[in-house]
Amino acid sequence: MKKRLGLILMLSTFALLLAGCTEFNEPIYEDSEGFWNKYIVWPLVSLITLFKELLGTYGYGIVAVTIIIRLILLPLMIKQTKSSKEMQEIQPELNALKEKYKSKDAVTQEKYRTEMQKLMTERKINPAAGCLPVLIQMPILIGFYHAISRMNSTPEIELGTFLWFQLADRSITLALIAGIMQFIVLRTGPAMGNPQMRMMMYIMPVFIIVIGTILPAALSLYWVIGNIISIIQNFFIYKPFKKEEEPVKQPAKVGGKRK
């Protein structure tokens, strides 16, 4: 049931993204047709415009809406990061199980799955708990990127500046800052204790820098503000500076006593 729900959500998200990406560089108006435009892109554009009227510039409007969106999503993101942390904590025990049942025959693999499920149940860990928040966040986060790009393509909207950055133009400097901030996010998060995720510490920042040098600086601004919030979140959840002080935990023994 959970797998089916996850598949449905994933397909729905993918369909929404496809529906929106076909108009990525087209103007956006209140009467723009389509579910993606009407219920995701235009409300975000309206919210940014509202804060622009309150704060004076689109740059401050983007910052304000970014903070609001991240605060709304914060419970989901905390749930996601806690799930990643829990999976990271039991990784030694999972590796021990994998070594114990390393034979690839069907009987051994069935025992491995049973023991793994038992371990997850005892620790009250749901491996899928970290996936659902991502699926819920994606339409909103991608929609925000989309809203900024569509605003930049709308003649009636002049994005203006934020500090000395022209938000409608590309900014290598802001893209570099966004990439560095992304590296810090990953450096203070679950990637530190997971060798398989460490590669992301190098791939994701480079990806963001490359994309940031192609797309309007307003998108890099969104990444910078969002990453600042993620770094603060990581410091409270993962406490990266305390990791070296904590004693190394010995992996718990798995399986019952041999008779």
Side-chain angles (χ1 to χ4, degrees), residues 4-221:
R4 289 182 180 178
L5 178 59
L7 180 60
I8 292 172
L9 288 171
M10 187 179 298
L11 291 174
S12 300
T13 302
F14 186 64
L16 284 172
L17 296 182
L18 286 179
C21 288
T22 56
E23 302 174 325
F24 195 77
N25 291 317
E26 294 183 9
I28 182 70
Y29 298 103
E30 185 176 5
D31 58 354
S32 295
E33 297 181 353
F35 178 88
W36 180 261
N37 293 327
K38 188 174 181 180
Y39 295 103
I40 296 179
V41 179
W42 180 251
L44 288 170
V45 171
S46 300
L47 196 57
I48 293 171
T49 303
L50 173 63
F51 278 97
K52 180 261 183 185
E53 298 298 329
L54 293 174
L55 302 176
T57 68
Y58 278 109
Y60 288 125
I62 291 171
V63 171
V65 175
T66 300
I67 294 173
I68 290 171
I69 289 176
R70 295 304 292 264
L71 289 177
I72 292 173
L73 294 176
L74 188 59
L76 289 174
M77 297 180 75
I78 290 176
K79 184 178 180 65
Q80 177 188 344
T81 51
K82 282 186 175 179
S83 177
S84 298
K85 186 179 180 182
E86 290 169 349
M87 288 297 296
Q88 179 182 328
E89 288 173 350
I90 67 166
Q91 196 62 44
E93 295 168 75
L94 292 175
N95 291 336
L97 281 175
K98 189 177 293 185
E99 179 64 24
K100 180 179 179 180
Y101 299 106
K102 60 184 178 181
S103 177
K104 299 299 181 182
D105 63 274
V107 175
T108 302
Q109 287 302 300
E110 181 61 30
K111 289 181 180 179
Y112 168 68
R113 286 189 289 271
T114 301
E115 289 287 337
M116 183 174 63
Q117 185 60 46
K118 180 181 177 182
L119 176 62
M120 297 285 188
T121 302
E122 289 175 350
R123 297 297 186 87
K124 298 180 180 179
I125 296 175
N126 181 3
C131 299
L132 185 59
V134 175
L135 293 173
I136 294 174
Q137 291 176 50
M138 284 306 293
I140 299 173
L141 299 180
I142 298 299
F144 196 90
Y145 296 155
H146 200 124
I148 294 174
S149 181
R150 299 284 293 276
M151 289 171 69
N152 192 41
S153 299
T154 303
E156 292 83 356
I157 295 177
E158 178 62 45
L159 289 178
T161 63
F162 180 79
L163 300 179
W164 58 87
F165 300 108
Q166 291 288 336
L167 296 179
D169 299 332
R170 303 170 186 174
S171 172
I172 297 177
T173 303
L174 204 55
L176 285 171
I177 295 173
I180 292 170
M181 299 301 291
Q182 182 63 47
F183 179 80
I184 297 173
V185 169
L186 295 170
R187 190 75 171 78
T188 57
M192 279 299 297
N194 189 336
Q196 296 176 341
M197 293 180 66
R198 284 180 187 171
M199 185 62 65
M200 291 183 63
M201 287 196 295
Y202 305 101
I203 295 176
M204 282 300 295
V206 173
F207 173 78
I208 285 179
I209 290 171
V210 172
I211 295 298
T213 58
I214 297 173
L215 298 176
L219 291 173
S220 295
L221 175 62

